[in-house]
Structure formats: structure tokens, C-alpha cells
Amino acid sequence: MRWAIPRTVIEGWWAVTLRDRQRRRVRDEIQWAAYVLFARSGFEAVTTEQIAAEAGVSPSTYFRHVRSKEDLLLEPVREGGAGIAALVETRPADEPADIALAGAILARSTSLTVEELQQWRAAFTTAPHLLERVALVPPDHRDRLVELVAHRMSRDPDSDPMPGLLVHLMLAAAEFGLLRWLRAQDPAASLPVCIEAALAAVQDRRWRNDQA
């Protein structure tokens, strides 16, 4: 027997998907316009009205998609961090916890094109006061990462501090690598290279069940 999906359900799903794609497109256009203006004129000097005009949208549309100018710069960090747990889950089941977590973090650092990263960094350098607000993963995502890491380590995160410590150190290393890249004077500096070097300092056999 074949189950027919009601047309109203299909149309509703398509409408939501299309609407989400359209919102994402508008948001991306606003974000890119902001980065161009920030890099050109400085974060503080650029107004929301100028960003809206550069993106080709009305001020009301701008405020439907953006809470603040700060969010335009910080959002890539949050979006990158939000996907780490999902990537850890896709890593090979027998992969050691430290390697799996480092691989997931590094994969997120390559999710943007070189051009997008360069424009974002150029914009971010005009708002150095936001560097202290850079945080890869919110508390709820950290808790999920600890669960995933504990499973790979075959340890109880409630009684064993090692899973939580590994997550804390890995995320701290990744944030250090990100900040090092954002502050780099060399325009050719690579975000993945900076993050990979920081993560390598944490990776060690001590986190693995087969340690000697």
C-alpha cells in the first residue's frame, strides 16, 4: 500500500523551504554589504541605513533580518560552532575522541570560501572591541559535545572529568586559533592553518583508550 502525502502538506513544506531560502539569501546579501562597508569605512562609521541601501533592501527589511550590527560580525562564529556536534556524529565510530573533535572543528573552519573569509576578517578588524565576545559554542552545544566525546572515550562525564576537559581545551584552542587569524597582519594568513596548529597542541594519546 502506498501512502499519499496530502498536497497541502507538500505545498506547505515547499513554501517553508522556499521562504527559508529567501530569508537566507536576503540575510547573506545584508551581511556581505555590511562587510564591504565596514572594511571601507570602519564599523562605527557605518549606519544601518547605509547597510540596507548597499544591500538593496529597505530599513524595515533590514531590521527583520538583523538584530544589531554586532550580530553581523559574530554570526559566522556562532553558525560555525553550532555545526560542530553534528559533524562529530558523522565521524568514523572508531575514531579517537580528540581526533574526531579536532576534525569536526577544522571542517567547520573551511565552510566559507577564501574570499568570504578575507572580507569578513577585513570587516572584523574595524571592530576590535568584539574580539572578546568571540565564542565558538554556546553552553547547550558544549554539553552535547561532552556527551559525544564521553561516548567515544567510554567514560561517564558525570564522574570522569576527562571528556569535559577535552571539549573545553579543544574549543579554547580553536578560539585561540580564530583570534590569532583575526588579528593577523598578514592578509594571506589561513584560518584553517591557524586553527589546525592550535588543535594539534591539544591532541594527544592521553585522551585515547588505547594509550600506552
Side-chain angles (χ1 to χ4, degrees), residues 20-32 55 57 61-62 65-66:
D20 288 344
R21 289 202 302 267
Q22 290 173 333
R23 286 182 60 83
R24 180 75 252 186
R25 179 181 57 79
V26 172
R27 173 77 180 199
D28 288 346
E29 290 174 352
I30 292 173
Q31 205 164 40
W32 184 259
V57 300
T61 297
Y62 171 91
H65 291 82
V66 180

Side-chain angles (χ1 to χ4, degrees), residues 69-207:
K69 290 198 304 181
E70 290 79 4
D71 276 351
L72 289 169
L73 286 176
L74 293 170
E75 186 177 69
V77 181
R78 296 168 184 155
E79 287 187 343
I84 293 174
L87 285 173
V88 170
E89 293 183 276
T90 67
R91 306 287 297 187
D94 60 348
E95 193 172 49
D98 62 316
I99 296 178
L101 183 53
I105 293 172
L106 189 59
R108 291 303 288 173
S109 74
T110 60
S111 61
L112 296 177
T113 67
V114 173
E115 181 185 13
E116 289 171 333
L117 285 173
Q118 290 177 339
Q119 189 66 63
W120 178 50
R121 183 172 62 170
F124 216 122
T125 57
T126 71
H129 63 287
L130 293 181
L131 290 173
E132 63 185 27
R133 291 176 55 184
V134 169
L136 276 181
V137 179
D140 56 331
H141 287 269
R142 286 176 182 260
D143 292 343
R144 178 56 180 158
L145 282 174
V146 172
E147 292 176 4
L148 294 171
V149 164
H151 178 74
R152 286 178 180 269
M153 297 175 75
S154 299
R155 302 194 183 202
D156 180 359
D158 293 328
S159 58
D160 191 326
M162 290 295 278
L165 181 60
L166 175 55
V167 169
H168 176 81
L169 291 175
M170 276 287 184
L171 292 179
E175 289 172 5
F176 174 83
L178 172 59
L179 289 170
R180 184 183 178 194
W181 173 76
L182 284 171
R183 294 186 175 114
Q185 299 298 316
D186 182 2
S190 166
L191 175 61
V193 169
C194 289
I195 288 183
E196 186 173 22
L199 295 175
V202 179
Q203 288 180 256
D204 191 85
R205 292 184 63 85
R206 74 166 65 91
W207 308 110

